[in-house]
Amino acid sequence: MEKQKNAVGRRKEAVARVYLNKGTGNIMVNDKDYKAYFPIMYLQNQVELPLKTIDVQSTFDIVVNVQGGGQKGQAEAIKMGIARVLCEVNPEYRPALKKEGLMTRDSRSVERKKFGKAKARRSFQFSKR
């Protein structure tokens, strides 16, 4: 692998641009270490999952630019972006990642608010008198 590979991961409102190079296993998210960016262990595990699935934690350096959404949406967008870029590096990784459910885009997002309602489906409080 001679040049940098990149891919995009999306989840809810979050968009993650993932850049992958040969390296020692550093993961940088918005110019911070991913453990500092995601202090919650569950979210750190989400980011590491594609690398652990195919056992290449210390082979690649990953730089991520992520924006939009909340912490969980961002972590899951990064997870998808890493899975996609790993498939670009070596297509043989795809079956293992697919089996783990990392190649499928989770398209669920917030339902829009409708007029005449308080939220998407919630009605205003009804008063009989």
Side-chain angles (χ1 to χ4, degrees), residues 125-129:
Q125 186 171 354
F126 175 72
S127 172
K128 200 165 189 177
R129 286 178 191 88

Side-chain angles (χ1 to χ4, degrees), residues 5-23:
K5 300 279 187 184
N6 63 328
V8 176
R10 292 187 183 88
R11 172 77 173 97
K12 292 187 171 184
E13 288 291 307
V15 179
R17 287 173 200 64
V18 179
Y19 304 94
L20 183 122
N21 286 309
K22 283 275 189 216

Side-chain angles (χ1 to χ4, degrees), residues 1 5 20 22 60 84-91 93:
M1 189 176 97
K5 300 279 187 184
L20 183 122
K22 283 275 189 216
F60 301 110
R84 282 182 169 174
V85 80
L86 287 171
C87 284
E88 213 173 283
V89 170
N90 186 350
Y93 294 153

Side-chain angles (χ1 to χ4, degrees), residues 4 18 21 26 35 54 64 67 78 85 102 108 117-118:
Q4 175 177 291
V18 179
N21 286 309
N26 295 332
K35 290 187 177 180
I54 54 173
V64 182
Q67 60 215 68
I78 292 169
V85 80
L102 301 174
R108 292 176 296 171
K117 297 276 190 177

Side-chain angles (χ1 to χ4, degrees), residues 41-86:
M41 198 67 192
Y42 167 75
L43 298 177
Q44 293 173 16
N45 291 338
Q46 288 288 300
V47 171
E48 295 167 353
L49 188 62
L51 300 169
K52 285 181 178 172
T53 302
I54 54 173
D55 200 37
V56 291
Q57 290 102 307
S58 57
T59 313
F60 301 110
D61 280 348
I62 298 171
V63 177
V64 182
N65 293 328
V66 65
Q67 60 215 68
Q71 276 198 320
K72 186 174 182 198
Q74 287 188 349
E76 292 181 3
I78 292 169
K79 175 176 74 169
M80 166 156 238
I82 291 173
R84 282 182 169 174
V85 80
L86 287 171

